[in-house]
Amino acid sequence: MSASGGSKAIVAAFLANLGIALAKFLAWALSGSASMLAEAIHSVADSGNQLLLMLGGRKAQRRADRAHPFGYGRERYVYAFVVSIILFSVGGLFAIYEGVEKLTNPHELDKTWWWLPLVVLLIAIGLESFSLRTAVKESNLVRDRGQSWRSFVRRAKAPELPVVLLEDVGALTGLTFALLGVGLTLLTGNPLFDALGTVMIGVLLVLIAIVLGVETKSLLVGEGATQADEDRIVDAITDGPEIEKIIHLKTLYLGPDELMVAAKIALNADKPLREVADDIDAIESRIREAVPVARVVYIEPDVYRPAIDPEPSTDVFVLKSSD
């Protein structure tokens, strides 16, 4: 997996969630806290999600073949979408079900082990904070200067870092809900708070899963270059003396680290074929230098004929990224 996939963040999140899940299951078994069970299932789902992200990164490295001539880069998008479904079903819906069940059939926490859920939750908050810190550090290596976190999550082409970031933020928020639910139940003796904390965890996970699903669906359908990269590509094409104008331009991400650029350009009609080939080579070289992820470049030379080729806005032809 490339650096943009944030492999360190994925490994850190996996190890943290695996240890936290075991501790939460133990706390649930001894105390009977519904919030602890919901959090334990949440951590198991997150651990499985990190394994899926790593598997998707490995499968995406396969070489292109006859069946997939553009390679397998989009495997990472597929597995990120599967992660959002798992988070929605296994994490969110189970927690909501467990919370509603405890609301209708409440039971008190075990008085012998009343302290254990609090200890586990505080340790889990520390470990999740470490995981989030690692994800933020990895994200800052690829996040544009001045770019907001909301924009980064929505526009990142590598799905792993946004997934881990949202999972970690969701985990910390869920742990806070669980801590409040368990704490209020211990203070008041009313198990209603523990059940409500469980429902809140479930709703939170469902919302995060929906956001992840929407964003990864957009990547699966096919996104084009960002506005900044599109401008760099246009400048790279028009910077030299070779062309008269760009007739149209299309871009498409074949994977998180591979952008396809297809452009139809107008050249002088009197140029010999050898000069046309040299001009195309020069343009391709400038595009790859300006936008390194533009690894697949197709340039179609043509003669601009206003009567046949009207002059529409480039925006009509470029496949935009989602904002």
Side-chain angles (χ1 to χ4, degrees), residues 128-206:
E128 286 290 358
S129 298
F130 167 75
S131 175
L132 178 60
R133 178 179 174 275
T134 304
V136 169
K137 185 177 179 181
E138 289 283 291
S139 299
N140 281 332
L141 296 177
V142 295
R143 187 166 65 107
D144 294 335
R145 184 185 296 274
Q147 185 181 25
S148 68
W149 285 108
R150 178 177 179 273
S151 174
F152 174 74
V153 169
R154 296 195 65 186
R155 297 183 181 180
K157 303 307 177 186
E160 294 85 0
L161 284 173
V163 168
V164 174
L165 281 169
L166 286 176
E167 279 187 352
D168 287 347
V169 171
L172 283 171
T173 308
L175 288 168
T176 303
F177 290 159
L179 192 61
L180 285 172
V182 173
L184 289 173
T185 294
L186 291 172
L187 286 174
T188 64
N190 188 348
L192 175 68
F193 294 108
D194 184 37
L196 287 175
T198 307
V199 173
M200 291 170 67
I201 292 168
V203 172
L204 172 70
L205 293 178
V206 168

Side-chain angles (χ1 to χ4, degrees), residues 24 27 31-32 57 69 77 101 106 154-155 165 204 219 256 292:
K24 287 174 180 174
S31 70
Y77 299 153
E101 197 276 331
R154 296 195 65 186
R155 297 183 181 180
L165 281 169
L204 172 70
L219 291 168

Side-chain angles (χ1 to χ4, degrees), residues 1 5-21 41-58 76 79-80 82-84 86-87 128 131-132 135 159-169 171 212:
M1 192 185 302
S7 55
K8 288 183 181 178
I10 297 173
V11 173
F14 171 72
L15 295 176
N17 281 311
L18 193 61
I20 291 170
I41 297 298
H42 176 190
S43 294
V44 169
D46 282 354
S47 299
N49 290 343
Q50 271 93 55
L51 287 176
L52 285 172
L53 291 176
M54 287 189 278
L55 178 62
R58 183 174 294 275
R76 287 164 67 179
Y79 280 86
V82 172
V83 162
S84 68
I86 291 176
L87 196 62
E128 286 290 358
S131 175
L132 178 60
E160 294 85 0
L161 284 173
V163 168
V164 174
L165 281 169
L166 286 176
E167 279 187 352
D168 287 347
V169 171
L212 285 177

Side-chain angles (χ1 to χ4, degrees), residues 3-323:
S4 64
S7 55
K8 288 183 181 178
I10 297 173
V11 173
F14 171 72
L15 295 176
N17 281 311
L18 193 61
I20 291 170
L22 294 175
K24 287 174 180 174
F25 273 121
L26 177 62
W28 162 71
L30 295 175
S31 70
S33 168
S35 292
M36 291 306 302
L37 177 58
E39 275 296 308
I41 297 298
H42 176 190
S43 294
V44 169
D46 282 354
S47 299
N49 290 343
Q50 271 93 55
L51 287 176
L52 285 172
L53 291 176
M54 287 189 278
L55 178 62
R58 183 174 294 275
K59 285 184 172 292
Q61 294 175 355
R62 288 182 292 174
R63 293 174 180 244
D65 52 32
R66 184 178 294 275
H68 298 86
F70 289 109
Y72 291 84
R74 288 198 180 186
E75 289 269 16
R76 287 164 67 179
Y77 299 153
V78 173
Y79 280 86
F81 188 72
V82 172
V83 162
S84 68
I85 296 173
I86 291 176
L87 196 62
F88 176 85
S89 57
V90 177
L93 295 183
F94 177 83
I96 292 174
Y97 167 80
E98 184 67 19
V100 171
E101 197 276 331
K102 289 299 184 292
L103 283 173
T104 54
N105 299 292
H107 63 82
E108 295 184 359
L109 301 183
D110 188 285
K111 297 187 184 302
T112 305
W113 298 96
W114 64 268
W115 52 271
L116 185 58
L118 298 178
V119 172
V120 169
L121 288 171
L122 291 173
I123 293 174
I125 287 174
L127 291 174
E128 286 290 358
S129 298
F130 167 75
S131 175
L132 178 60
R133 178 179 174 275
T134 304
V136 169
K137 185 177 179 181
E138 289 283 291
S139 299
N140 281 332
L141 296 177
V142 295
R143 187 166 65 107
D144 294 335
R145 184 185 296 274
Q147 185 181 25
S148 68
W149 285 108
R150 178 177 179 273
S151 174
F152 174 74
V153 169
R154 296 195 65 186
R155 297 183 181 180
K157 303 307 177 186
E160 294 85 0
L161 284 173
V163 168
V164 174
L165 281 169
L166 286 176
E167 279 187 352
D168 287 347
V169 171
L172 283 171
T173 308
L175 288 168
T176 303
F177 290 159
L179 192 61
L180 285 172
V182 173
L184 289 173
T185 294
L186 291 172
L187 286 174
T188 64
N190 188 348
L192 175 68
F193 294 108
D194 184 37
L196 287 175
T198 307
V199 173
M200 291 170 67
I201 292 168
V203 172
L204 172 70
L205 293 178
V206 168
L207 291 176
I208 291 175
I210 290 173
V211 172
L212 285 177
V214 169
E215 295 305 319
T216 51
K217 169 183 168 291
S218 177
L219 291 168
L220 274 172
V221 171
E223 287 190 359
T226 62
Q227 185 62 56
D229 280 346
E230 177 198 327
D231 292 341
R232 293 187 189 102
I233 291 168
V234 171
D235 290 342
I237 294 174
T238 57
D239 257 357
E242 301 91 357
I243 76 166
E244 295 179 356
K245 70 185 292 83
I246 297 175
I247 298 174
H248 67 74
L249 171 70
K250 293 183 180 181
T251 63
L252 179 67
Y253 268 92
L254 303 174
D257 305 308
E258 190 170 38
L259 177 68
M260 181 176 70
V261 178
K264 187 175 185 179
I265 60 173
L267 298 177
N268 190 312
D270 298 326
K271 277 193 174 184
L273 180 59
R274 182 65 198 181
E275 287 187 25
V276 170
D278 291 340
D279 289 347
I280 290 175
D281 289 342
I283 293 169
E284 290 179 349
S285 178
R286 290 200 302 270
I287 291 173
R288 293 191 175 100
E289 184 177 354
V291 182
V293 295
R295 298 178 182 175
V296 180
V297 181
Y298 297 110
I299 304 294
E300 179 186 354
D302 205 339
V303 176
Y304 182 64
R305 293 152 291 186
I308 299 176
D309 300 318
E311 196 169 340
S313 168
T314 308
D315 291 344
V316 175
F317 298 98
V318 178
L319 297 173
K320 299 288 188 182
S321 300
S322 60
D323 291 328

